């Protein structure tokens, strides 16, 4: 099953490569078809997923570097299942979204996205930490190119560099830590390493090395600088992938590797994570208030939401961890949808500055509906997915640290502040006729892009049980170890 | 007739013997033919290049023929083992690639002297002998053969001032370092009375390091080490290399970046791991400093370069720093990582240099000299742009390309020997060096060009070469074990 999932994007890439560049429509159709097939295939994973066990399922095993006891070992459990589905889902959304807005180097563009699809599936399903590292890093190449080649302004160079170098410097320390573990234990298989207990001092250092890598990816506060830059300069689909799924690689790594491999260190460093996250929630929420660029607002709000996730993960109880997983998924839908909404405006008018937009409700009613809905979802409105996640996270963190819960919940209030104010400025008020003369509402394609995200958000908000059921056993098994 | 050589000896060194004879024959042939008025003094460069490629290929086949042998020949003068044979075959193949690259370069740069491929072959002969030398005298003679041909090659573009300057610089400084080498050898000979590696090692193993009066040996070792570091352009002795890289003809630059380095590394491995291993306390720290210095200078020096060849020169210094990690860790894993790194590095260097050679303006037939000139590549020649991007991503060490695996094995060996400082410095400098590798990709892909330059169509040989190497760099991660097992066999042969 998983090997089929990996083969589909590869087939897509190969078939795009042999299509000549001028057959524009064919390229788009093949790319979309293969990403859609991958998505459908990943949904079957969920259908055949066994809720009643916390073991890894759909195990696939390939001999890779037998000399060093490194193998290509794939498997999925309740945590990684949703990330795989989310990534295939978002990639197909992205490909549909960039149907008309991308005009140059079309072939490479779609190859980049299918490559990211492939790498993401492997990252979320691989059970060997060196292979995990390899694909964790590999995503840098297509994403670097997406930001650099198809980005909008000249500042994209700086953004692409920051994205690349920040991530690289963090992850290379993880690589050293992985080598160390390899030479201590003689294996890089995650399941075997799970049974190994390192001495306390070593655990602390290894945890820090892993944390350095994941915190850049999440991003935690002192190293979050690359994120707003990268988001602003990337094309819409690039931002969607970046916010929707690349950030989750960091939190997924914390949950999967840091927590279960180094339980002692995780508890030891909980105050550090809490304080960084609390600072992130408040600081980035306040920063959001003074941004003038639409994409930067969403980017900073992403940092705030990811800080919620890290608080949730480090509560070490079922509510917190499940809540943080829900936030990750819902953030995948909501921030992607908001970036897509901004992309709609940018495709039409080629500016993202708030100053030029006002009173859009009068001319773009359907668009305004989506924008208001997703803004509400972003601030954690009851009935949307974010509410379910944030509620559970706050319950969880209340059990472990009341003060942090208090600080995090101020973030929710501030979130309501910037989301509503953003809606207010962009959608309501007098229509600006000085700058923009002609307005058109969203097209059928854009509607088709946004509606699945809306449905998912509502579904997850109204009935999160179906998601929680699937991840329940895996998470309780993970927490038993701590 | 057994007092000097046995029959087996000739069989073992058959590739070298064949090589010497054919070089002489080809020299005679070309001298006679090119001075003959009957044929109107023909230009032989193309002809001789193709002949040399064939000769190199035959030597390669002969070399593979006795790949799995392990024998010390000619009165303990040379050793033929699978470790040396692996390196030899890699060197021969890469030289074939370089000669293929030079075919069109010579045509456009008007290098019409047939001596060019012959000198390259002589250098290779020196390198092959250096790899299999098992005696200080043999080593010195081989190194001199290799160096002398290199001096001439770097000054080969006679009408260019840069090239003449490069040749002169290389000659003076190279002679200086050869002096060091000879002095070191004679010190070791003076204090041990032996020139054979095995005899030296036997003498040293028995002696206690602290109470033996062996300062002379240590000083000799250090002299040899300095000369070695000079010749592979490691950090405190690197200053010649950017100038010489820049001045020499580009094919020769590629040649210098690849062939002598790996030959010298092999010689070093053999000398220091076979015979001077007991003294490793005295040379390990020096290598450590050289390694860290080269990594730092290689990464920081290249940031401000605007010429492509100088950039590659500094990047080569950085790569030497990484290779020295493998040397100064002194373990089986590290030697394995070193050889792995060198082989992947050869792939990447061939690719990057042939990409430099392939790009030539259509209007004035000039090569692209500055990094800024690459701006049109990805737009006018998308495939070359793609190869550029893959090659430089790989050199930067981004997974899943081949370059990552080479760095991975080196750093893992450093970690396994608890050389944490070394690995952390290596990691940081590799991030810094990413900056300028990415700049090449950035210039060719991200920036908008103001003027359009049409580029000459690349020749067929070089295009095939680049495509194959790019493909190797991409699909390498599917089955890295293939190279691993090959290298492992020869490493085991060297280390035990």
């Amino acid at each position: 099953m998983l090997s089929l999932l990996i083969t589909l994007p590869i087939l897509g890439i190969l078939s795009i490569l042999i299509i000549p560049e001028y057959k524009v429509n064919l390229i788009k159709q093949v790319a979309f078809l293969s990403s859609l097939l991958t998505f459908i295939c990943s949904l079957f994973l969920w259908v055949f997923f066994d809720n009643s066990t916390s073991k890894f399922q759909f195990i696939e095993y390939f001999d890779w570097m037998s000399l060093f006891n490194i193998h290509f070992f794939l498997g999925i459990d309740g945590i990684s299942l949703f990330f795989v589905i989310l990534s295939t889902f978002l990639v197909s959304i992205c490909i549909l979204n960039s149907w008309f807005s991308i005009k140059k180097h079309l072939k490479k563009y779609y190859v980049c996205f299918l490559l990211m699809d492939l790498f993401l599936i492997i990252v979320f399903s691989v059970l060997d930490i060196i292979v995990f590292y390899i694909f964790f890093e590999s995503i840098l190449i297509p994403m670097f190119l997406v930001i650099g080649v198809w980005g909008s302004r000249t500042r994209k160079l700086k953004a692409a560099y920051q994205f690349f170098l920040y991530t690289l410097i963090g992850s290379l320390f993880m690589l050293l830590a992985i080598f160390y573990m390899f030479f201590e234990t003689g294996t890089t298989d995650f399941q075997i390493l799970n049974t190994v207990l390192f001495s306390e001092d070593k655990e602390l250092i290894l945890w820090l090395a892993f944390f350095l890598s994941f915190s850049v990816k999440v991003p935690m506060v002192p190293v979050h600088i690359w994120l707003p830059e990268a988001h602003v300069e990337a094309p819409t689909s690039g931002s969607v992938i970046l916010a929707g799924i690349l950030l989750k690689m960091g939190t997924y790594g914390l949950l999967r590797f840091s927590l279960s491999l180094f339980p002692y260190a995780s508890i030891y460093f909980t105050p550090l994570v809490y304080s960084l996250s609390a600072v992130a929630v408040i600081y980035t929420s306040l920063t959001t208030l003074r941004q003038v660029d639409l994409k930067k607002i969403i980017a900073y709000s992403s940092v705030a939401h990811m800080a919620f996730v890290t608080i949730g993960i480090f509560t070490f109880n079922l509510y917190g961890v499940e809540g943080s997983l829900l936030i990750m998924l819902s953030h995948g839908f909501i921030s992607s949808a908001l970036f897509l909404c901004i992309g709609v405006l940018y495709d039409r008018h080629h500016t993202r500055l708030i100053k030029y937009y006002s009173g859009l409700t009068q001319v773009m009613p359907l668009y305004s509906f989506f924008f208001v809905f997703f803004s509400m979802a972003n601030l954690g409105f009851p009935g949307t997915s974010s509410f379910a996640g944030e509620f559970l996270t706050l319950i969880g963190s209340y059990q472990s640290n009341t003060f942090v819960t208090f600080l995090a919940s101020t973030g929710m209030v501030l979130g309501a502040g910037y989301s509503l104010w953003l809606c207010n400025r962009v959608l309501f008020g007098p229509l600006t006729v000085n700058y923009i003369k002609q307005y058109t509402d969203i097209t059928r394609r854009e509607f088709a892009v946004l509606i699945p995200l809306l449905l998912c958000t509502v579904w997850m908000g109204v009935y999160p049980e179906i998601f929680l059921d699937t991840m329940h056993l895996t998470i309780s098994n993970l927490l038993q170890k701590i | 007739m057994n007092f000097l050589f046995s029959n087996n000896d000739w069989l073992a060194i058959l590739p070298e013997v064949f090589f010497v004879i054919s070089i002489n024959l080809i020299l005679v042939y070309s001298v006679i033919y090119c001075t003959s008025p009957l044929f109107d003094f023909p230009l032989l460069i193309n002809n001789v290049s193709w002949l040399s490629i064939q000769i190199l290929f035959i030597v390669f086949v002969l070399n593979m023929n006795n790949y799995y042998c392990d024998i010390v020949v000619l009165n303990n003068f040379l050793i033929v083992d699978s470790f040396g044979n692996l390196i030899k075959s890699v060197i021969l193949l890469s030289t074939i690639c370089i000669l293929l690259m030079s075919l069109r370069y010579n045509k456009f740069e008007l290098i019409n002297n047939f001596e060019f491929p012959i000198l390259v072959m002589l250098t290779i002969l020196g390198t092959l002998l250096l790899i299999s030398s098992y005696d200080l005298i043999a080593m010195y003679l081989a190194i001199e053969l290799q160096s002398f041909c290199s001096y001439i090659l770097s000054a080969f573009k006679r009408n260019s001032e840069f090239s003449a300057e490069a040749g002169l610089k290389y000659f003076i400084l190279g002679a200086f370092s050869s002096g060091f080498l000879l002095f070191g050898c004679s010190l070791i000979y003076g204090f041990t009375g032996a020139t054979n590696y095995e005899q030296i090692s036997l003498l040293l193993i028995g002696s206690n390091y602290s109470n033996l009066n062996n300062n002379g040996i240590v000083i000799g070792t250090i002299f040899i080490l300095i000369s070695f570091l000079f010749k592979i352009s490691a950090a405190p002795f690197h200053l010649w290399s950017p100038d010489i890289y820049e001045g020499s003809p580009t094919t020769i630059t590629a040649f210098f970046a690849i062939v002598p380095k790996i030959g010298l590394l092999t010689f070093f491995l053999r000398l220091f791991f076979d015979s001077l291993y007991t003294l490793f306390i005295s040379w390990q720290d020096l290598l450590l400093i050289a390694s860290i210095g080269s990594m730092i200078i290689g990464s920081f020096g290249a940031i401000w370069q605007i010429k492509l060849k100088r950039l590659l020169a500094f990047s080569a210094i950085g790569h030497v720093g990484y290779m020295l990690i493998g040397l100064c860790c002194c373990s089986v894993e590290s030697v394995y990582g070193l050889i792995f790194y060198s082989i992947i590095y050869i792939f990447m260097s061939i690719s990057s240099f042939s990409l430099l050679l392939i790009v030539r303006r259509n209007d004035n037939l000039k090569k692209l000299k500055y990094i800024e000139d690459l701006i049109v590549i990805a737009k006018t020649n998308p495939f070359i742009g793609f190869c550029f991007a893959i090659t430089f991503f790989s050199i930067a060490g981004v997974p899943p390309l081949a370059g990552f695996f080479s760095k991975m094995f080196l750093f893992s060996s450093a970690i396994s020997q608890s050389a944490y400082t070394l690995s952390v410095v290596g990691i940081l400098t590799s991030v810094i060096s990413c900056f300028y590798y990415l700049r090449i990709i950035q210039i060719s892909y991200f920036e908008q060009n103001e003027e359009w330059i049409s580029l000459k169509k690349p020749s067929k040989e070089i295009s095939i070469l680049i495509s194959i190497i790019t493909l190797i760099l991409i699909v390498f991660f599917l089955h890295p074990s293939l190279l691993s097992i090959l290298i492992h066999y020869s490493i085991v042969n060297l280390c035990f």
Side-chain angles (χ1 to χ4, degrees), chain A residues 64-65 67-68 104 133-135 137-138 141 144 148-149 156-157 161 164-165 168 172 176 179-180 183, chain B residues 336 393 398-400 404-405 408-409 412 416 420 427 431 434-435 438-439 442 446 448 477-478 480-481 488:
Chain A
W64 191 55
M65 282 165 69
L67 208 62
F68 291 89
K104 61 173 184 180
Y133 173 82
I134 288 172
F135 287 97
E137 285 290 89
S138 304
I141 298 179
F144 178 74
V149 179
K156 68 188 180 184
L157 300 179
Y161 268 91
F164 199 96
L165 296 179
L168 195 68
L172 281 171
L176 292 185
F179 288 148
Y180 185 79
F183 284 108
Chain B
Y336 168 78
F393 270 128
V398 184
F404 166 74
F405 290 94
M408 176 177 132
F409 287 122
S412 70
S416 77
Y420 300 120
I427 291 272
V431 174
C434 260
F435 175 77
L438 290 187
R439 204 173 66 183
Q442 169 222 319
F446 299 176
Q448 280 303 324
F477 86 100
L478 289 180
S481 308
H488 227 86

Side-chain angles (χ1 to χ4, degrees), chain B residues 161-425:
Chain B
E161 290 157 22
F162 284 112
S163 184
E165 183 202 342
L168 200 59
K169 259 187 189 164
Y170 198 15
F171 175 63
I172 293 169
L173 295 170
F176 202 59
S177 84
S178 293
F180 271 99
L181 182 64
L182 197 58
F183 187 48
C185 291
S186 46
L187 272 176
I188 287 182
Y189 176 65
F191 277 81
T192 58
T195 55
N196 187 267
Y197 290 1
E198 198 177 355
Q199 287 168 7
I200 295 172
S201 86
L202 288 175
L203 271 172
L204 290 177
I205 282 170
S207 63
N208 191 348
Y209 176 68
S210 53
N211 60 19
L212 179 76
N213 187 13
N214 58 5
N215 285 336
I217 302 177
V218 173
I219 293 171
T221 311
I222 288 167
F223 271 114
I224 292 179
L225 187 68
I226 285 172
S227 160
F228 163 74
L229 289 179
F230 173 86
K231 283 190 191 290
I232 62 165
S233 73
F237 315 103
H238 64 280
L239 285 166
W240 57 275
S241 94
D243 289 342
I244 285 159
Y245 269 52
E246 194 193 346
S248 316
T250 311
T251 35
I252 295 306
T253 313
F255 184 68
F256 287 161
I258 297 163
V259 177
K261 251 169 215 164
I262 186 162
L264 285 157
L265 280 170
T266 323
F267 134 69
F268 183 87
L269 280 174
R270 228 195 258 300
L271 174 61
F272 281 68
F273 281 62
D274 261 12
S275 66
L276 300 172
Y277 192 77
T278 333
L279 301 176
F280 81 87
I281 303 164
S282 62
W283 49 263
Q284 195 178 25
D285 288 349
L286 295 176
L287 276 179
L288 196 85
I289 294 163
S291 168
I292 290 178
S294 320
M295 287 191 286
I296 289 173
I297 283 169
S299 55
F300 281 102
I303 292 178
W304 292 279
Q305 301 304 327
I306 51 168
K307 286 182 180 168
L308 272 167
K309 276 163 83 178
R310 280 188 90 84
L311 182 121
L312 285 176
F314 274 101
S315 114
I317 295 172
H319 284 291
V320 164
Y322 294 121
M323 290 178 194
L324 290 181
I325 292 180
L327 285 184
C328 62
C329 286
C330 301
S331 70
V332 182
E333 287 102 10
S334 74
V335 177
Y336 168 78
L338 168 67
I339 300 300
F340 199 95
Y341 192 93
S342 318
I343 290 175
I344 301 288
Y345 170 70
I346 283 178
F347 278 135
M348 297 188 301
S349 309
I350 290 174
S351 175
S352 56
F353 276 104
S354 50
L355 282 164
L356 285 193
L357 287 170
I358 214 171
V359 217
R360 198 174 276 279
R361 291 172 66 135
N362 220 349
D363 45 0
N364 56 6
L365 300 180
K366 284 270 160 54
K367 278 204 315 318
L368 301 187
K369 201 170 180 186
Y370 298 96
I371 303 176
E372 289 295 325
D373 294 344
L374 291 176
I375 197 161
V376 287
I377 297 258
K379 290 105 188 174
T380 54
N381 300 38
F383 189 73
I384 297 182
F386 171 74
C387 295
F388 249 109
I390 291 295
T391 308
F392 281 97
F393 270 128
S394 174
I395 297 179
V398 184
L401 302 173
F404 166 74
F405 290 94
S406 56
K407 274 191 184 158
M408 176 177 132
F409 287 122
L410 272 183
F411 287 134
S412 70
S413 69
I415 289 282
S416 77
Q417 295 296 307
S418 310
Y420 300 120
T421 326
L422 205 57
S423 43
V424 169
V425 171

Side-chain angles (χ1 to χ4, degrees), chain B residues 47-60:
Chain B
N47 184 329
V48 175
S49 296
W50 277 111
L51 279 176
S52 321
I53 289 169
Q54 286 164 17
I55 291 169
L56 285 166
F57 187 73
I58 295 170
V59 176
F60 171 73

Side-chain angles (χ1 to χ4, degrees), chain A residues 152-448:
Chain A
S152 41
R153 303 182 298 182
T154 43
R155 206 182 157 81
K156 68 188 180 184
L157 300 179
K158 197 184 164 200
Y161 268 91
Q162 277 193 352
F163 167 71
F164 199 96
L165 296 179
Y166 263 84
T167 319
L168 195 68
I169 203 163
S171 351
L172 281 171
F173 283 101
M174 178 164 85
L175 183 66
L176 292 185
I178 290 175
F179 288 148
Y180 185 79
M181 286 158 69
F182 176 60
F183 284 108
E184 285 280 294
T185 60
T187 177
T188 52
D189 190 322
F190 170 70
Q191 281 169 301
I192 301 174
L193 282 175
N194 228 341
T195 61
V196 176
L197 210 58
F198 296 96
S199 77
E200 287 172 3
D201 295 341
K202 282 174 189 164
E203 207 171 89
L204 295 183
I205 292 167
L206 290 175
W207 188 90
L208 275 177
F210 271 72
F211 182 68
L212 200 59
S213 155
F214 293 139
S215 64
V216 170
K217 211 65 185 188
V218 171
M220 308 286 278
V221 137
V223 283
H224 69 289
I225 307 293
W226 64 270
L227 180 83
E229 292 280 344
H231 268 314
V232 171
E233 303 308 329
T236 309
S237 306
S239 306
V240 170
I241 288 285
L242 201 57
I245 197 78
L246 289 203
L247 304 189
K248 274 77 190 178
M249 290 193 329
T251 40
Y252 171 79
L254 282 177
L255 191 56
R256 160 80 14 110
F257 298 109
S258 296
L259 235 60
S260 54
L261 293 181
F262 319 116
Y264 167 76
S266 299
I267 293 171
Y268 184 91
F269 280 115
T270 304
L272 173 74
V273 178
Y274 274 171
S275 35
L276 286 181
S277 309
V279 168
V281 169
I282 294 167
Y283 164 71
T284 51
S285 300
L286 287 174
T287 316
T288 313
L289 287 172
R290 58 184 185 86
Q291 296 303 321
V292 290
D293 190 307
L294 282 167
K295 265 189 168 177
K296 262 200 175 153
I297 291 179
I298 312 302
Y300 273 110
S301 88
S302 298
V303 181
H305 280 97
M306 295 314 281
F308 257 104
V309 174
T310 41
I311 290 179
I313 289 174
F314 281 82
T315 54
F316 306 115
N317 57 42
L318 205 58
Y319 298 109
V321 177
E322 286 192 355
S324 67
L325 258 171
L326 276 190
I327 299 184
M328 282 189 238
L329 295 179
S330 86
H331 182 254
F333 299 134
I334 293 164
S335 67
S336 314
L338 281 168
F339 277 120
L340 289 171
C341 285
I342 292 161
V344 168
L345 282 184
Y346 186 78
D347 285 347
R348 284 169 175 62
H349 309 306
H350 297 284
T351 176
R352 282 186 298 257
L353 294 184
I354 297 179
K355 193 176 114 183
Y356 296 109
Y357 298 109
S358 168
L360 292 183
T361 347
Q362 300 160 43
V363 280
M364 301 170 77
L366 207 52
Y367 174 77
S368 309
F369 164 70
F370 279 112
F371 199 94
V372 168
F373 176 81
F374 286 116
S375 296
M376 289 297 161
N378 199 29
L379 65 86
F381 202 68
T384 59
S385 54
S386 201
F387 174 74
E390 281 173 23
F391 180 67
L392 279 174
T393 310
L394 290 177
I395 291 178
S397 65
Y398 195 81
Q399 288 178 358
S400 67
N401 194 326
T402 330
F403 185 57
V404 167
T405 319
F406 168 69
L407 290 177
S409 32
T410 52
M412 287 187 79
V413 178
L414 290 170
Y418 62 71
S419 295
L420 290 176
W421 194 34
L422 176 66
C423 275
N424 222 352
R425 279 182 292 176
V426 175
L427 299 179
F428 306 110
L431 190 65
T432 47
V433 284
N434 303 341
Y435 308 114
I436 299 166
K437 292 281 186 297
Q438 205 178 9
Y439 291 95
T440 43
D441 211 339
I442 54 174
T443 60
R444 225 177 284 172
R445 180 183 53 85
E446 284 155 353
F447 187 79

